[in-house]
Amino acid sequence: MTAFYRGAMTRFRTHEQQISTSVLVIGTGGSGLRAAIELAEHGVEVTAVGKRPRHDAHTALAAGGINAALGTMDVEDSWQQHAADTIKESYNLADPRTVEIVAKGAAEGISDLERYGMGFAREADGRISQRFFGAHTFRRTAFAGDYTGLEIQRSLVRRSEQLEIPILDTVYITDILTDDNRVFGAYGFDISDGTRYLIHADAVILAAGGHNRIWRRTSSRRDENTGDSFRLAVEAGARLRDPELVQFHPSGILEPENAAGTLVSEAARGEGGILRNALGERFMERYDPERMELSTRDRVALAAYTEIQDGRGTENGGVWLDVSHLPREIILKRLPRVYQTLMETQMLDITREPIEVAPTAHYSMGGVWVRSEDHSTEVDGLYAIGEASSGLHGANRLGGNSLIELLVFGRIVGQAAAKYSATLPAQTRSADAIANARGEVDRLLSADGPENVRALQRAIRDMMTDCAGVVRSEEGLQQGLARLDEIEARMENVGIHPDIAGFQDLAHAYDLKSSALAARATLEAALERRETRGCHNRSDYPDMDPAMQVNLVWSPETGVTREEIGPIPEEISELIREVSQEGKLVE
């Protein structure tokens, strides 16, 4: 490194901007922007920061749709039935109060999107179209083609710009700052030029996603869902709930390597796609002969995994998803994004050839422990929403619920944070907390060890895939913890090398810290959950255990503890029943 460039690095390290705001939102996807909008519309000062450009947040990748019991297609639908379907699909691990709040508030969430200019698909008479998704009793999933998440994100960005909400793109938050169990802001740096940010805030809303990027094959991009929310919350003093409950999507592509895990929307199966193994067998006949490819995510993913493990997979370790028997015009009209994705990534024409797919880590159904009413944590002034939080999904997420959760709790948490900020008589500061945050960035920037942070991230992904994938066991999870111990020891000798392209290497170092913490929480909770329930498959405990109908709460200090789940209100419980999948899209 030249003397000139060493000087440039020093200048970047010492430059620091200080910002003050009433509420800081970490994450600029759907949940973060919805909370920021709520605050701004009530005249509360808010700043939002995200490590990705706001237009390209993870929410934009969501395809299928968003749930609300509007009754536009089936007038007999109700919020109670929506809640019942959610709890049934969660394998009774969802928090009933959280479910009730989302189901009741869903219609208002849709109205908010309409107010922001969201372009929903509509019937000829102007009603919002709604379609079936798997495990729904009625048609309650609103949509915009197979670009629903992208349209939601565009609508929220547009509304944020109208309100002139300050949004900082490419800012990586390294620490939530606390004093005596109360937040007072956050610390971070700009990934592009290394500029430090010291942000003072009365309240912090954590909306930085989940942890599914810690598996080798995942639907998240390289810098998304690496467990940031988990680490930031835990280091601030919060706990995690159900980190072992991770939904594996049945159909992620295998090639090219830099796109491995990219989803083939389940609409492909919903429109008539067929799954076959390498022998040409339609293998879902063995696992769910009634519903076949329209079975639920957890079951289809397990079926594909079993075929691959038993030697009936493709040479690349996948299975075939075939839609080529469908009319070309149907594919281009109903599956435009799938068609475009495969043409762009593989030059594969899905109207002529099958798609090679395998299960891929897709969604964190557990997350930061929060109170159901307002998603506050046990740290005063700290809130968590979206995939960063827990409570709604249990052991299997009902398709279409993730997007409505963003809208409902984005509004509620925005209001709660505003109220909290207004009641503070004064805001304390901690020089020690700020010094520690600064010092850790300095320490990493000066680290010059032989270990490469990207290689260690890959080691974690390989370990989690080998030891805590679709199917788990006591032996495998113990091996995972032993391998994690070795990785964490190697993490003490990393080398960080910012370059002329920016400070991505420093960001990867923090991603690595987050991934290691999320991996440990997941492995330890998966060990404790000695049963098979929903997405969590234990080969050594193949049955569901009624004694395990509890949430598992994790922290570094206490390890895993059990938490009882509240009672289901009678008006919801009486509606819980098996739901036919005939004619429905899967999740």
Side-chain angles (χ1 to χ4, degrees), residues 198-434:
L198 172 58
I199 306 173
H200 293 294
D202 296 339
V204 173
I205 298 174
L206 189 52
H211 71 313
N212 59 70
R213 191 66 181 90
I214 69 173
W215 279 266
R216 185 166 59 234
R217 189 178 294 125
T218 169
S219 60
S220 294
R221 292 167 291 192
R222 185 172 64 185
D223 57 348
E224 297 174 330
N225 294 314
T226 52
D228 303 24
S229 296
F230 291 15
R231 180 184 64 81
L232 289 170
V234 167
E235 291 183 353
R239 299 182 296 160
L240 305 179
R241 178 165 50 197
D242 295 335
E244 80 283 10
L245 300 180
V246 176
Q247 190 170 67
F248 284 80
H249 193 288
S251 50
I253 65 174
L254 303 183
E255 297 179 318
E257 185 178 355
N258 64 357
T262 299
L263 295 188
V264 175
S265 171
E266 287 174 303
R269 301 203 313 277
E271 294 295 343
I274 294 172
L275 286 166
R276 300 188 189 277
N277 60 25
L279 304 177
E281 298 169 332
R282 191 175 181 181
F283 60 83
M284 283 307 297
E285 293 177 347
R286 280 195 281 272
Y287 303 94
D288 195 339
E290 181 179 348
R291 296 184 290 190
M292 300 287 281
E293 285 83 7
L294 294 184
S295 188
T296 55
R297 265 190 193 162
D298 57 323
R299 294 172 187 173
V300 179
L302 179 60
Y305 173 86
T306 302
E307 291 294 305
I308 296 165
Q309 290 298 111
D310 288 353
R312 295 185 293 275
T314 63
E315 289 186 10
N316 291 325
V319 295
W320 298 109
L321 172 58
D322 192 5
V323 297
S324 63
H325 57 283
L326 300 175
R328 178 180 175 85
E329 59 271 19
I330 291 294
I331 292 174
L332 297 181
K333 180 180 180 181
R334 301 286 185 89
L335 304 170
R337 195 170 192 174
V338 175
Y339 179 85
Q340 180 183 11
T341 297
L342 271 298
M343 285 297 293
E344 290 178 350
T345 57
Q346 299 179 6
M347 287 301 293
L348 179 75
D349 184 353
I350 66 171
T351 68
R352 298 173 180 269
E353 300 176 78
I355 312 161
E356 193 175 18
V357 298
T360 181
H362 177 52
Y363 192 89
S364 303
M365 291 178 291
V368 179
W369 185 97
V370 291
R371 298 178 179 90
S372 55
E373 287 77 11
D374 61 3
H375 273 30
S376 59
T377 69
E378 294 156 306
V379 181
D380 294 342
L382 178 62
Y383 302 82
I385 46 175
E387 200 170 352
S389 65
S390 62
L392 178 62
H393 307 296
N396 198 44
R397 175 172 64 85
L398 188 70
N401 267 0
S402 58
L403 290 177
I404 197 60
E405 179 186 18
L406 310 181
L407 276 296
V408 173
F409 274 110
R411 169 171 45 82
I412 291 171
V413 171
Q415 295 171 0
K419 182 178 179 181
Y420 173 83
S421 174
T423 60
L424 284 182
Q427 183 55 275
T428 59
R429 300 281 187 265
S430 168
D432 287 343
I434 296 170

Side-chain angles (χ1 to χ4, degrees), residues 476-499:
L477 294 167
Q478 293 287 8
Q479 288 177 359
L481 285 168
R483 287 168 63 176
L484 182 58
D485 288 341
E486 296 173 0
I487 294 168
E488 288 176 333
R490 293 170 62 191
M491 286 168 57
E492 296 298 317
N493 296 299
V494 297
I496 310 299
H497 307 287
D499 59 29

Side-chain angles (χ1 to χ4, degrees), residues 48-89:
V49 301
K51 65 179 182 179
R52 293 187 64 85
R54 69 199 76 169
H55 292 279
D56 195 30
H58 188 69
T59 301
L61 300 183
I66 180 170
N67 295 337
L70 303 177
T72 59
M73 311 298 288
D74 297 314
V75 294
E76 59 268 51
D77 199 9
S78 65
W79 74 260
Q80 292 94 336
Q81 188 63 64
H82 182 188
D85 293 349
T86 298
I87 292 173
K88 175 70 171 61
E89 194 67 2

Side-chain angles (χ1 to χ4, degrees), residues 75-197:
V75 294
E76 59 268 51
D77 199 9
S78 65
W79 74 260
Q80 292 94 336
Q81 188 63 64
H82 182 188
D85 293 349
T86 298
I87 292 173
K88 175 70 171 61
E89 194 67 2
S90 80
Y91 290 78
N92 294 308
L93 293 190
D95 171 60
R97 180 65 180 132
T98 300
V99 172
E100 180 179 348
I101 289 170
V102 170
K104 273 185 175 179
E108 186 175 352
I110 298 296
S111 296
D112 287 339
L113 286 179
E114 289 189 282
R115 180 163 57 91
Y116 305 151
M118 169 82 178
F120 286 104
R122 294 183 181 273
E123 299 296 301
D125 60 4
R127 289 174 296 150
I128 290 178
S129 297
Q130 293 189 281
R131 60 189 180 193
F132 274 127
F133 259 28
H136 289 260
T137 303
F138 299 109
R139 290 173 288 181
R140 69 167 67 95
T141 304
F143 59 95
D146 60 356
Y147 289 86
T148 308
L150 179 60
E151 287 302 315
I152 289 174
Q153 186 70 12
R154 285 172 174 168
S155 300
L156 295 173
V157 168
R158 184 166 55 245
R159 181 56 179 154
S160 299
E161 291 171 346
Q162 291 171 352
L163 293 167
E164 298 182 340
I165 296 172
I167 299 176
L168 301 175
D169 291 326
T170 70
V171 169
Y172 193 110
I173 296 299
T174 65
D175 290 273
I176 293 174
L177 302 174
T178 63
D179 179 45
D180 194 23
N181 199 51
R182 175 185 291 179
V183 302
F184 67 87
Y187 196 81
F189 65 93
D190 189 292
I191 296 173
S192 300
D193 64 14
T195 299
R196 309 282 187 89
Y197 282 88

